[in-house]
Amino acid sequence: MASTSTRTGSPSGSYFELVYRNPLWVFLGLSVTLSLWYMVFPDVVPLHNGFAWEGDTYYKPVAIDLPRQLLVTHINSYTIQRVLPFALLHGFFRLFNIPFQDDYLILWMQVFNLGLGVLMIVLWHKIATLMRLSLEAAWVGFLAFFINFSFLKYDLYIPFTTDRLAAAAGLTSLYFYLRRSTLGLWLTALVSLGIWPTALAYNLLLLLIPADEPLPQTKNRPLSLLWAAGISLVVMLLFVGVLYVRDVPLPPRMAPEVRSLLPLGIVLTGAYLFYTQWMLGQRVIPGWAEMWSLVLRTLRPSLKWLYLLGLLVAYFLLTRYVGDPSRSYLPFKTFLINTTYAVLQRPLQFIVAHGVYYGLAALVPLLFWRRVLSVLDRLGLGLSLMLMVVLLQAINSETRQLANVLPLLALVAAAVADTLPLNRTAVWTTAALLLLVSKMWLPFNWFDPTFGQPDDRFPSFSFVHTGIMLEWPFQVYFMNQGPWISTTYLLLQGAILAVVGFVVYKAFTAPKAAVSPAANRETE
């Protein structure tokens, strides 16, 4: 990947050329500057004095008194998989005898997230170099990963969470996987057990299927069809069972469903699952003879089985002995109900929700699906299977649950961009549009009607009982979280994303201007 500056005929041209050829420093500067800005001029969620929802209920008690939470109160088996940064915070404060004041706790997480941002940007730069991405493709990966609501707004507005750490852990796993470092991947997977619950499944897959395992040379259409039909049918039957057989009402903490459109939502979701799983299945599921060879190759004795066993044992010990399995955080029945409505409140709402939250990483598969399929050969079998699972998980409109797989989506976007005739204008245009969609420029607390008053609970006044969170100004935050977006703001942002998608598509597919031999010599 190019990273050296070049010279042009004018000082301004030279400056923009320097910026364009050094995306690493551009994004490091942006991330550090924005993080420092939020420390000096905080726009942090007022609810619970900056700790928001789960931060106040689960993570703050761990940060303040970890031994008591582990030995007396007991942390449930789900939350124990997300407490690592707060355990580190507790140890740091104890070591340096820092008082456990709210403002110090928030500041520590802000500094911690700043460091994570730097680490993530450097790691992505290394992955772009490792994958030999063009400069334009590397830019697209940077844009997909870092110019979105998640990185530029959510992590700063609600710093007392594990979301950024989950993305950093997922990126580290991806880096070691592409480096063919099984030990590095395993160590990252081990640490990730205390960061993000779904990290275990994805890391097990990457440990099982090595990075040098290519896509099959043969297809298995019957099995691909059976898989796609089976998974879509099971999901649709689940929805029918929850909504019509058991007639379970909408959970109280979600935007109201459009009841008349629920059947349409079930059909469209089933169609989405069938199509995406079928198309991917034809690329990753081999013919019978090749499948047998793949199975034998995968199951042959090797050190990876010790890694897999060690990871599973560590997970068992963490969730059964360190965590308390008798204290349920989210019963499976409740999880199914919440997921059903998070998918179906409005038909295909997850598409808009992911675009709002992750920007280009969500738009590229929509705009360039055929090219996504074509770049799977470059990613290999392991990452292609991982993408298959991600697109299944993606029907849930609570996008932040995908934090640990955002690195894969950014890599897919960059690989697709590497097949397109991108130029600098396309990159700048896309960056400007993504900054707009990210809401980095929108100070949420400007709209808080009780800002600075004692017990300010913005943005969740009467969150459960009156539905006021569906109204402005409370939608300034909730319009970015799929299950809590009001229908009005869902449609409005969907229209904006459609325009952005159209412009990005045109910019990405515009013919690349011919460069004269003299200009080429100038830039060498």
Side-chain angles (χ1 to χ4, degrees):
M1 183 185 70
S3 60
T4 57
S5 62
T6 60
R7 306 185 69 173
T8 59
S10 67
S12 61
S14 178
Y15 170 76
F16 284 114
E17 183 73 16
L18 177 66
V19 169
Y20 184 68
R21 290 198 168 273
N22 289 276
L24 170 66
W25 297 105
V26 171
F27 283 88
L28 283 174
L30 173 64
S31 178
V32 171
T33 301
L34 196 59
S35 295
L36 293 175
W37 177 272
Y38 268 73
M39 295 179 199
V40 179
F41 305 103
D43 186 42
V44 177
V45 61
L47 179 65
H48 295 137
N49 202 26
F51 294 94
W53 295 274
E54 58 198 26
D56 183 71
T57 305
Y58 299 105
Y59 307 145
K60 182 181 177 182
V62 171
I64 292 175
D65 196 348
L66 177 63
R68 177 178 176 81
Q69 291 298 310
L70 288 175
L71 302 175
V72 180
T73 305
H74 301 296
I75 304 171
N76 66 71
S77 291
Y78 176 84
T79 302
I80 198 67
Q81 298 175 70
R82 299 179 70 167
V83 299
L84 178 61
F86 313 106
L88 294 175
L89 185 159
H90 177 84
F92 184 88
F93 275 45
R94 288 293 186 194
L95 179 63
F96 293 99
N97 199 28
I98 302 173
F100 289 94
Q101 296 176 199
D102 286 359
D103 52 346
Y104 291 167
L105 297 176
I106 296 293
L107 178 61
W108 192 92
M109 283 302 297
Q110 288 177 317
V111 175
F112 183 72
N113 285 337
L114 185 158
L116 288 176
V118 170
L119 172 65
M120 292 160 66
I121 291 166
V122 171
L123 276 179
W124 171 252
H125 175 75
K126 287 181 174 293
I127 287 175
T129 303
L130 188 65
M131 295 292 290
R132 298 183 179 181
L133 296 174
S134 67
L135 177 60
E136 289 75 19
W139 263 98
V140 167
F142 275 112
L143 295 176
F145 208 142
F146 303 110
I147 306 300
N148 52 51
F149 174 82
S150 173
F151 190 83
L152 296 182
K153 193 63 185 181
Y154 180 84
D155 293 344
L156 302 168
Y157 189 65
I158 305 183
F160 216 77
T161 65
T162 56
D163 292 49
R164 180 169 289 192
L165 182 56
L171 182 61
T172 306
S173 290
L174 180 63
Y175 172 70
F176 282 122
Y177 182 74
L178 294 172
R179 281 283 308 270
R180 277 68 169 171
S181 173
T182 306
L183 177 60
L185 173 59
W186 181 76
L187 290 173
T188 304
L190 200 63
V191 172
S192 298
L193 293 177
I195 297 173
W196 205 252
T198 59
L200 173 67
Y202 289 111
N203 283 317
L204 285 173
L205 175 61
L206 297 183
L207 284 167
L208 185 65
I209 308 294
D212 54 6
E213 183 66 52
L215 289 187
Q217 298 299 309
T218 57
K219 295 183 179 181
N220 194 323
R221 294 183 184 275
L223 192 55
S224 301
L225 183 62
L226 181 64
W227 164 258
I231 200 69
S232 58
L233 183 61
V234 166
V235 171
M236 292 170 70
L237 287 176
L238 166 66
F239 294 159
V240 170
V242 170
L243 295 173
Y244 298 109
V245 177
R246 301 299 297 272
D247 195 22
V248 179
L250 177 80
R253 294 179 176 87
M254 290 185 175
E257 80 278 23
V258 182
R259 196 76 189 178
S260 62
L261 295 180
L262 287 176
L264 177 62
I266 294 174
V267 171
L268 291 178
T269 302
Y272 157 84
L273 287 174
F274 176 81
Y275 178 74
T276 54
Q277 297 297 304
W278 182 44
M279 297 297 287
L280 288 169
Q282 292 183 80
R283 298 302 314 278
V284 303
I285 300 177
W288 298 112
E290 191 177 3
M291 182 182 297
W292 178 244
S293 175
L294 174 63
V295 169
L296 291 178
R297 193 162 59 249
T298 303
L299 295 180
R300 66 189 175 190
S302 68
L303 188 60
K304 74 178 179 184
W305 294 107
L306 291 178
Y307 286 128
L308 290 167
L309 179 61
L311 188 60
L312 290 171
V313 169
Y315 173 78
F316 179 80
L317 294 175
L318 178 69
T319 57
R320 297 298 172 182
Y321 292 97
V322 182
D324 185 357
S326 67
R327 301 184 66 234
S328 177
Y329 172 85
L330 185 65
F332 187 64
K333 178 181 176 181
T334 304
F335 167 76
L336 293 179
I337 294 169
N338 289 350
T339 300
T340 296
Y341 279 102
V343 176
L344 298 175
Q345 289 157 290
R346 286 71 52 108
L348 298 182
Q349 67 176 4
F350 59 89
I351 294 177
V352 177
H354 299 336
V356 167
Y357 205 87
Y358 280 147
L360 192 62
L363 287 176
V364 165
L366 286 173
L367 299 174
F368 303 102
W369 174 248
R370 293 288 178 180
R371 289 184 181 270
V372 169
L373 296 175
S374 71
V375 301
L376 295 182
D377 288 306
R378 189 173 184 181
L379 301 181
L381 181 61
L383 293 181
S384 298
L385 286 169
M386 184 176 170
L387 180 62
M388 203 171 182
V389 180
V390 169
L391 293 183
L392 173 59
Q393 184 187 352
I395 63 174
N396 188 334
S397 63
E398 190 176 2
T399 309
R400 59 184 290 248
Q401 299 299 333
L402 298 171
N404 61 312
V405 297
L406 174 60
L408 174 63
L409 297 175
L411 179 60
V412 169
V416 167
D418 227 6
T419 70
L420 292 164
L422 288 183
N423 55 37
R424 191 183 314 176
T425 301
V427 170
W428 291 138
T429 301
T430 303
L433 291 172
L434 294 176
L435 285 171
L436 175 67
V437 173
S438 74
K439 304 181 182 69
M440 177 192 75
W441 45 272
L442 185 62
F444 286 178
N445 290 343
W446 278 11
F447 305 96
D448 178 5
T450 58
F451 185 72
Q453 298 181 16
D455 198 29
D456 184 356
R457 296 182 60 82
F458 186 81
S460 64
F461 292 84
S462 303
F463 180 61
V464 177
H465 303 292
T466 68
I468 197 171
M469 57 90 174
L470 298 174
E471 303 171 4
W472 190 266
F474 309 103
Q475 276 289 298
V476 74
Y477 170 78
F478 287 110
M479 68 178 174
N480 305 288
Q481 305 287 352
W484 300 277
I485 305 176
S486 74
T487 300
T488 299
Y489 285 101
L490 185 74
L491 294 173
L492 175 61
Q493 292 183 107
I496 293 172
L497 285 172
V499 174
V500 170
F502 175 79
V503 176
V504 169
Y505 181 83
K506 287 295 186 181
F508 275 33
T509 56
K512 197 167 188 176
V515 181
S516 68
N520 273 329
R521 285 193 296 271
E522 277 189 3
T523 59
E524 288 177 353

